[in-house]
Amino acid sequence: GRESRHNLTYWQNGTFLGVGPGAHSYLAGSRFHNLRSPREYIRRMDSAGPARAGAAVDTRMLEEMPAVEFVETIERPMEMTETMMMGLRLNDGVANADFRARFGVDIAQAFPRAVADCLDDRLLEQRQRQLVQAHFLQDLRARQRQALLLTTRELGGITFN
């Protein structure tokens, strides 16, 4: 398949805003989702007053929004961890310069023992100032996707969420 540019926002742990019933968002250091029920979502939005123009988005504001069901504050250590976890799923991995620009620290400074151990165990590789999964892990991922595709075809195109 081809690379999905839309999904890169998620894999790079970027911010996104979901709109409507059941939509999920990651914005201003918070992960949140709206009510799942379209009927209840519409009812609450209809009964809400006008939005505050120019208000800064923070956890408290999100919790006060009528259709938001759940808000989770993502602290910096979790954001750094999720950035690595998601980014290492990409073929290009995580660029140290991007990580440093976002967090003010190099990857190896943020995760010294994990990076050293994974490099020593050849689970990660350093390529052109980027930390990436080792080739054998990328090959394993490709084989897993192929097996899942074959299984799905054998089941008559049934997919599972």
Side-chain angles (χ1 to χ4, degrees), residues 15-144:
T15 60
F16 57 94
L17 179 63
V19 179
H24 287 68
S25 304
Y26 181 53
L27 187 65
S30 296
R31 186 176 5 253
F32 56 100
H33 69 263
N34 294 338
L35 294 163
R36 288 172 177 79
S37 165
R39 182 172 285 124
E40 183 63 14
Y41 178 90
I42 292 168
R43 187 190 71 71
R44 288 199 192 177
M45 292 303 290
D46 282 347
S47 66
R52 295 179 297 178
V57 177
D58 61 17
T59 302
R60 188 170 148 258
M61 177 191 170
L62 293 170
E63 288 172 343
E64 293 173 357
M65 293 177 73
V68 172
E69 184 174 44
F70 176 80
V71 179
E72 175 187 14
T73 300
I74 306 299
E75 302 293 340
R76 185 170 185 250
M78 178 60 77
E79 183 182 0
M80 295 168 81
T81 300
E82 289 181 353
T83 298
M84 292 304 299
M85 180 184 71
M86 300 300 280
L88 287 172
R89 296 183 68 173
L90 297 167
N91 289 336
D92 292 337
V94 180
N96 194 54
D98 294 343
F99 191 89
R100 188 180 333 101
R102 182 169 179 174
F103 299 109
V105 63
D106 288 341
I107 296 169
Q109 291 172 312
F111 305 102
R113 187 169 180 189
V115 169
D117 288 351
C118 288
L119 288 171
D120 287 348
D121 293 341
R122 293 184 171 83
L123 298 173
L124 295 178
E125 298 172 359
Q126 191 80 40
R127 291 190 215 141
Q128 300 174 355
R129 301 180 195 268
Q130 300 200 158
L131 203 56
V132 299
Q133 281 186 8
H135 280 295
F136 82 90
L137 290 173
Q138 291 177 355
D139 292 343
L140 179 61
R141 265 193 3 241
R143 282 182 282 196
Q144 287 172 329

